[in-house]
Amino acid sequence: MLPIDAAAHSSRWRRRHPAEKALLGFGLTLCAVSLPPWPGAPLVAAATLTVLLGPAGVPGRALWRAFRIPLGFCVTGAIPLLFEVGGERGLVALAPGGPAQAGGLLLRTASASLGVLLFAFTTPVSDVLPRLVRAGVPAPVVDVALVMYRIIFLLLDSLTKIRQAQAARLGLTSRAATWRSLGGLGATTFVRAFDRAQRLQSGLAGRGYDGTLRVLVPACAVSRRFLAATGALLAGLVVLTLVLERFLP
């Protein structure tokens, strides 16, 4: 199991309805994207971090390990805005207004990533997918997503075991051996994926699969107090951003 999935299953908000957490997480993401990057994005990021590390109880180290990956994409996407290529000032020069645009993009995308991580760190995928059928998503699509979600962890487990076996057999001692082991790892994983899929198909057929996976979903009610607090937080962020925008440079 991935660390973010393990954190979601052990989250303080594990028993809360996914709709509550979706409203909070994606509402913060929408605020980060739609509000002015300054001071909107820092305010949204501060509010999201407060919720993540406070009421949600997400460990700071686990949050940083998950956040640094999208942060790297955010930085990579912002760097090209700093330069212009082939203009009147030379082959490569600093673009007019480039730092402001790059900073705004970085603030917005980083804050939006935290909003998505808020939902991911508090809501297991297995709690969300079965409820999508009630939201109107076709049942076969949800079934395929559930099966793929299960197979991903089986393949990750296989990858880890194969990698450990290759290392124990000195398959990573040189660059040539590493490339050879990498090829063997890909080929073995490909074959095992088909084998797992066939086993899964046989298991479903043996249990009388009729085109619909019946999954027991734990009952939980939507908290009006939580929804009201979420609405107040999002509205407060919007108002505070619009007010501070007039006074801050």
Side-chain angles (χ1 to χ4, degrees):
M1 182 175 290
L2 297 175
I4 193 170
D5 290 289
H9 279 279
S10 59
S11 171
R12 293 177 186 171
W13 289 357
R14 171 73 169 76
R15 301 302 175 189
R16 288 199 170 277
H17 198 285
E20 301 174 1
K21 296 172 281 188
L23 178 64
L24 176 59
F26 295 119
L28 289 169
T29 302
L30 181 61
C31 287
V33 173
S34 57
L35 290 175
W38 175 258
L43 288 175
V44 173
T48 309
L49 285 174
T50 302
V51 174
L52 277 166
L53 302 177
V58 177
R61 180 174 297 182
L63 176 62
W64 167 245
R65 287 180 177 175
F67 178 60
R68 62 187 179 183
I69 298 175
L71 182 62
F73 284 102
C74 297
V75 174
T76 305
I79 289 176
L81 296 178
L82 294 173
F83 306 99
E84 65 176 8
V85 180
E88 297 178 353
R89 294 183 296 173
L91 182 60
V92 178
L94 191 64
Q101 294 181 1
L105 178 65
L106 182 60
L107 288 174
R108 276 182 169 167
T109 51
S111 301
S113 300
L114 286 174
V116 176
L117 287 177
L118 172 61
F119 182 74
F121 265 105
T122 56
T123 310
V125 177
S126 56
D127 285 357
V128 178
L129 291 178
R131 289 183 169 88
L132 292 180
V133 178
R134 302 176 184 174
V137 179
V141 176
V142 176
D143 291 348
V144 171
L146 279 171
V147 171
M148 293 304 299
Y149 178 67
R150 173 63 177 163
I151 287 181
I152 285 173
F153 293 107
L154 294 175
L155 291 179
L156 288 176
D157 182 62
S158 298
L159 281 173
T160 302
K161 291 180 179 178
I162 295 171
R163 194 72 172 169
Q164 291 174 350
Q166 290 176 339
R169 295 174 182 175
L170 305 180
L172 306 176
T173 53
S174 64
R175 181 176 298 181
T178 301
W179 280 109
R180 189 165 50 250
S181 297
L182 187 62
L185 178 66
T188 306
T189 304
F190 184 75
V191 173
R192 288 197 177 188
F194 273 93
D195 180 61
R196 293 284 187 180
Q198 290 177 350
R199 291 186 186 185
L200 187 61
Q201 178 67 27
S202 300
L204 291 174
R207 296 176 182 178
Y209 178 66
D210 58 355
T212 303
L213 287 174
R214 293 173 177 79
V215 181
L216 183 62
V217 180
C220 56
V222 177
S223 172
R224 295 182 179 179
R225 182 179 299 179
F226 190 93
L227 295 181
T230 300
L233 174 63
L234 298 179
L237 287 172
V238 173
V239 173
L240 187 60
T241 300
L242 297 179
V243 171
L244 290 180
E245 188 183 16
R246 296 184 178 182
F247 299 100
L248 293 178

